[in-house]
Amino acid sequence: MTKSPLVRVILSFLLGAIAVLSYSPFDIWPLAYVSFIGLLLLIQQKSIKKTALIAFAWGFGYFLSGVHWVYVSINQYGDLPTLVAVIILSLLVAYLALYPMIFAIMLRLLNNVCPAYSLKQFVILAPLVWQITEYLRSTLLNGFAWLQFGYSQLDSPLAGLFPIVGISGVNLIFAICCGFFAYLLHQFTLHGWQSSKNKLPIYSAICTILVIFAASFWFKFINWTQTDLSRQTNVTLVQGNIAQSLRWSSEQLNKTLDTYSQLTQQNIKDSDIIIWPEATITDFERNQQPYLMALDQYARQNDTSVAVGIIDLKKQIDDYQIYNTLIVLGDLVPYQYPTQNRYSKHHLVPFGEYIPLQSLLSPIAKMLNIPMSSMSAGPAIQKPLIMKGFKFSTVICYEVILSDLLWHNFTPDTDFLLTVSNDAWFGNSIGPWQHLQMARTRALEFGRTLLRSTNNGITAIITPKGTIAKQLPQFQTTTLSITLNPNIGLTPYARWGNYPYYALLVIFVIIIFVRRKNIK
């Protein structure tokens, strides 16, 4: 490694930036290893100040390349000047980069427990500390759990681990593998393979990596759940392709309703279930009672269930609450507000749906001019939506990246997973592709077919193996129809959730504080 501080910072920034290529739509998963291994090696044996600078540069490159698409929503749809949008994006990226910096500083401060370049530091301490800082990033200020390294491994040999330990477990195991690779690379550059005196740790590292990859690859061929051939349904997903700049205008509302009505009418004769995207109807449910009752009656006449994204306004005595909601029409009982067969979004997006630290940050929200930015959160635990006798564990938009939230709402008799979204905020960027990749991961974790209906893409049907069975092109007004059988049975992750992962973290904490002279 070069000794020039400036070169190290630049190299760290570039190593962070190339990690975006490991995610969709690029899917070059080995680059995730290159990126994180580079960070592990660059921060070794540096002062705390240099360690912090190098790691911050890595994090800035990582998040700038990975979430630069946020600029589209700020500039184009927030209608802010380019300079202001760049400043806001830079502040967001700088905030996110603090977490890799904290990771590196913690690693440096614990050098007396696990020395630099030691196998114990690389494969026990570093993965543990990385998980702690990733947890903080995912929870503080309502969290931003985007770009967790595990998602980059959806098409790698580690993919077989998702149904067993979920995304958090794969994040941890990915970091462990990177630690082994970093240790081997350091040993090779320091001693060379032949001149190293103690080859046991080297051979152990190589064997462990091979075992992890081989076992995971073998797990990919296990069918944790089975197709229920006795039950079948015809499903249609509707993609209206309404431009984000028009969606919330009062002039567009009737055109939107007509578009979705026509697409529904074209498919209702052959469909048991029709699903509209998130907030298809950009108006309060109370205001659209005649439209909803007519659609409900039409659906029941054709023996079809229609899931509709809408905004629910609940009036209180001296206040009101607004919910991002998915309701089901066409039930046996005629629709009458408020129905019980509905899902209200629980995990809200900061600024997009609510204002964190409102007294302090409300001026920023006013600048962004985002509609419906004062929403309320639905309950954390909600019943599955029921359509034509099938149970759908449901999440809306951003929630699909929260595996633990879906796990708490998943039931053993869940037939399908369902997510509705509106990714039009991010234009023709990589954001929707990353979002789809995370949805694919949920299907693989739970061993259930996942239906994803979006406003302008990427609308898709995802198999229980996490592969795409069928998808629609972006930015087209069209529909996707498919015949589906539900799956039965439970994956280990669906059964136990993150408990095995937590147990592994506890073991790591114990190992860290048990000194062993033979681990150097």
Side-chain angles (χ1 to χ4, degrees):
M1 293 288 179
T2 178
K3 296 181 179 181
S4 169
L6 179 60
V7 172
R8 283 184 181 272
V9 170
I10 295 174
L11 178 59
S12 186
F13 174 86
L14 294 176
L15 283 169
I18 64 170
V20 69
L21 299 176
S22 65
Y23 297 97
S24 288
F26 312 104
D27 299 310
I28 311 174
W29 59 265
L31 289 180
Y33 290 88
V34 175
S35 178
F36 193 63
I37 291 168
L39 172 65
L40 289 175
L41 293 175
L42 281 173
I43 61 177
Q44 296 293 323
Q45 291 186 324
K46 303 293 182 299
S47 66
I48 292 180
K49 182 178 179 180
K50 289 181 179 179
T51 296
L53 182 60
I54 290 171
F56 182 83
W58 183 91
F60 202 90
Y62 182 73
F63 290 109
L64 180 62
S65 64
V67 300
H68 66 272
W69 42 264
V70 173
Y71 170 86
V72 177
S73 58
I74 298 173
N75 178 247
Q76 294 185 20
Y77 304 120
D79 201 27
L80 290 183
T82 300
L83 179 60
V84 176
V86 169
I87 291 173
I88 293 176
L89 175 63
S90 299
L91 290 174
L92 171 64
V93 171
Y95 164 73
L96 295 173
L98 292 176
Y99 292 98
M101 184 181 77
I102 294 171
F103 158 75
I105 292 173
M106 290 178 65
L107 214 58
R108 174 65 178 79
L109 292 175
L110 290 170
N111 271 358
N112 60 325
V113 178
C114 297
Y117 292 117
S118 68
L119 187 59
K120 191 174 183 179
Q121 187 213 51
F122 276 134
V123 303
I124 302 295
L125 180 61
L128 176 63
V129 174
W130 181 257
Q131 291 303 99
I132 293 172
T133 54
E134 285 290 89
Y135 171 78
L136 293 175
R137 178 167 72 88
S138 301
T139 54
L140 292 181
L141 298 177
N142 217 33
F144 189 70
W146 212 272
L147 289 186
Q148 297 184 67
F149 265 125
Y151 289 115
S152 68
Q153 302 304 296
L154 187 56
D155 296 307
S156 81
L158 294 185
L161 297 175
F162 281 104
I164 303 174
V165 293
I167 180 61
S168 295
V170 175
N171 285 335
L172 178 63
I173 293 169
F174 165 83
I176 293 171
C177 291
C178 286
F180 278 120
F181 283 125
Y183 175 78
L184 292 172
L185 186 59
H186 172 68
Q187 291 296 317
F188 176 74
T189 55
L190 187 65
H191 303 294
W193 298 118
Q194 301 301 324
S195 60
S196 179
K197 295 181 180 179
N198 187 3
K199 293 186 174 61
L200 180 60
I202 294 176
Y203 292 146
S204 298
I206 294 173
C207 290
T208 304
I209 291 173
L210 292 175
V211 168
I212 291 174
F213 277 79
S216 178
F217 185 75
W218 180 72
F219 288 143
K220 290 176 68 173
F221 298 98
I222 296 178
N223 293 317
W224 300 104
T225 62
Q226 298 77 41
T227 303
D228 184 358
L229 298 176
S230 67
R231 303 169 68 210
Q232 191 176 79
T233 184
N234 298 318
V235 179
T236 295
L237 309 182
V238 184
Q239 182 174 288
N241 191 35
I242 310 300
Q244 185 62 30
S245 57
L246 301 175
R247 287 188 76 240
W248 292 93
S249 67
S250 57
E251 296 82 4
Q252 175 63 34
L253 178 57
N254 287 334
K255 296 179 182 178
T256 298
L257 296 178
D258 289 342
T259 296
Y260 277 91
S261 293
Q262 291 172 12
L263 292 171
T264 298
Q265 290 172 14
Q266 293 169 11
N267 292 274
I268 200 164
K269 298 295 184 182
D270 300 318
S271 301
D272 301 311
I273 297 169
I274 297 177
I275 299 171
W276 294 10
E278 174 192 16
T280 306
I281 301 179
T282 52
D283 192 10
F284 296 131
E285 186 176 352
R286 288 175 177 269
N287 297 341
Q288 293 294 326
Q289 290 299 290
Y291 180 87
L292 294 172
M293 288 180 177
L295 179 59
D296 173 68
Q297 183 179 11
Y298 183 60
R300 284 188 294 110
Q301 288 173 350
N302 288 275
D303 196 24
T304 301
S305 290
V306 181
V308 177
I310 198 167
I311 307 302
D312 181 20
L313 172 67
K314 292 186 182 299
K315 295 182 179 180
Q316 307 296 328
I317 297 176
D318 55 355
D319 196 7
Y320 63 88
Q321 292 178 315
I322 302 174
Y323 297 93
N324 187 348
T325 302
L326 190 67
I327 64 174
V328 176
L329 304 178
D331 281 343
L332 294 176
V333 178
Y335 167 81
Q336 186 175 7
Y337 180 85
T339 55
Q340 296 300 312
N341 198 8
R342 62 177 58 222
Y343 175 84
S344 296
K345 188 176 183 181
H346 169 70
H347 191 102
L348 304 178
V349 178
F351 296 106
E353 293 171 314
Y354 84 104
I355 311 302
L357 306 175
Q358 191 163 4
S359 60
L360 179 65
L361 300 177
S362 58
I364 297 178
K366 291 180 180 178
M367 279 196 308
L368 292 175
N369 192 30
I370 297 175
M372 296 298 170
S373 57
S374 299
M375 288 191 172
S376 301
I381 308 297
Q382 300 181 51
K383 294 180 180 179
L385 293 181
I386 299 177
M387 291 183 275
K388 309 308 296 180
F390 293 91
K391 293 185 177 181
F392 293 76
S393 290
T394 304
V395 287
I396 294 178
C397 195
Y398 178 86
E399 290 182 323
V400 79
I401 81 173
L402 304 174
S403 183
D404 197 51
L405 174 66
L406 185 55
W407 184 77
H408 281 95
N409 284 276
F410 182 87
T411 58
D413 58 351
T414 289
D415 295 302
F416 301 101
L417 306 181
L418 171 62
T419 181
V420 295
S421 186
N422 172 41
D423 289 350
W425 283 104
F426 311 124
N428 189 20
S429 71
I430 62 176
W433 292 95
Q434 293 175 350
H435 204 182
L436 175 64
Q437 186 176 43
M438 289 180 267
R440 289 175 55 200
T441 305
R442 299 291 85 80
L444 181 56
E445 286 173 338
F446 291 92
R448 293 292 190 273
T449 297
L450 183 143
L451 291 72
R452 184 173 194 261
S453 181
T454 70
N455 169 39
N456 70 341
I458 304 166
T459 297
I461 301 293
I462 303 169
T463 73
K465 288 291 188 179
T467 59
I468 296 175
K470 200 173 183 180
Q471 74 180 63
L472 294 177
Q474 287 180 286
F475 313 113
Q476 290 187 18
T477 303
T478 185
T479 60
L480 185 159
S481 296
I482 192 170
T483 300
L484 295 172
N485 298 91
N487 273 55
I488 54 176
L490 297 174
T491 64
Y493 179 77
R495 189 182 302 276
W496 298 312
N498 283 324
Y499 290 116
Y501 162 73
Y502 295 144
L504 191 58
L505 292 182
V506 171
I507 293 172
F508 274 30
V509 171
I510 294 172
I511 292 175
I512 286 172
F513 294 99
V514 175
R515 296 182 179 276
R516 293 177 58 188
K517 295 182 179 180
N518 61 322
I519 301 182
K520 297 180 179 179

